Amino acid sequence: MTELYPALKMLHIGCVLVSGIVFGLRGVAMLARSPWANQVQIKRLSYANDSVLLGAGLLLMLLTHQYPGVTPWLSVKLSLLVVYIVLGIFALRRARSYARRAAFFVAAIAVYLFMFSIARTHHPLGVLGLL
């Protein structure tokens, strides 16, 4: 099973990048007031990619025996994932004003980058833990 690790890790990383790029593009489109941001096809692409991302992440967790509640960096990363999802929902759909949508979008991007930092460093504080 460990022979699957390199391919699974690359799949996970690729999906992370696609997820961030699609969210970023949708957010920029939303800020430009483009209807493209909420087209059904784009949403479906995002949902499909995020489903593969989640599945790959769960398989990596099982392969490496690193579990939330036991592995501090993973616990923080998954907690921030919930925050990122909520911020993304408010940025793209729920916030009532343009200014709030923009603020939620910037906050979501910041959380995404911090989660990426945590994943790269395997430290709960990400790059801040290396200072």
Side-chain angles (χ1 to χ4, degrees):
M1 193 71 142
T2 56
E3 63 274 359
L4 294 177
Y5 177 79
L8 201 51
K9 182 177 177 183
M10 290 307 296
L11 175 65
H12 185 71
I13 291 169
C15 287
V16 165
L17 294 174
V18 168
S19 183
I21 290 168
V22 170
F23 177 72
L25 290 173
R26 286 183 70 199
V28 168
M30 175 273 306
L31 292 173
R33 300 181 192 271
S34 170
W36 178 87
N38 286 309
Q39 282 189 348
V40 174
Q41 298 88 342
I42 301 302
K43 287 182 182 181
R44 287 184 183 156
L45 168 68
S46 182
Y47 297 155
N49 180 73
D50 290 348
S51 296
V52 173
L53 172 60
L54 178 61
L58 290 171
L59 288 173
L60 282 169
M61 182 182 68
L62 294 172
L63 278 176
T64 61
H65 304 288
Q66 295 180 345
Y67 305 104
V70 177
T71 309
W73 71 268
L74 186 57
S75 300
V76 172
K77 184 179 142 190
L78 292 178
S79 297
L80 287 173
L81 177 61
V82 174
V83 172
Y84 170 70
I85 290 168
V86 170
L87 290 170
I89 289 169
F90 276 90
L92 296 176
R93 290 191 297 227
R94 299 266 189 215
R96 296 183 189 265
S97 74
Y98 179 83
R100 287 185 181 177
R101 283 183 178 220
F104 282 118
F105 175 65
V106 169
I109 293 294
V111 170
Y112 172 86
L113 293 172
F114 191 54
M115 287 181 353
F116 190 84
S117 165
I118 290 169
R120 293 288 298 150
T121 62
H122 288 190
H123 191 284
L125 296 176
V127 294
L128 300 176
L130 301 178
L131 300 177

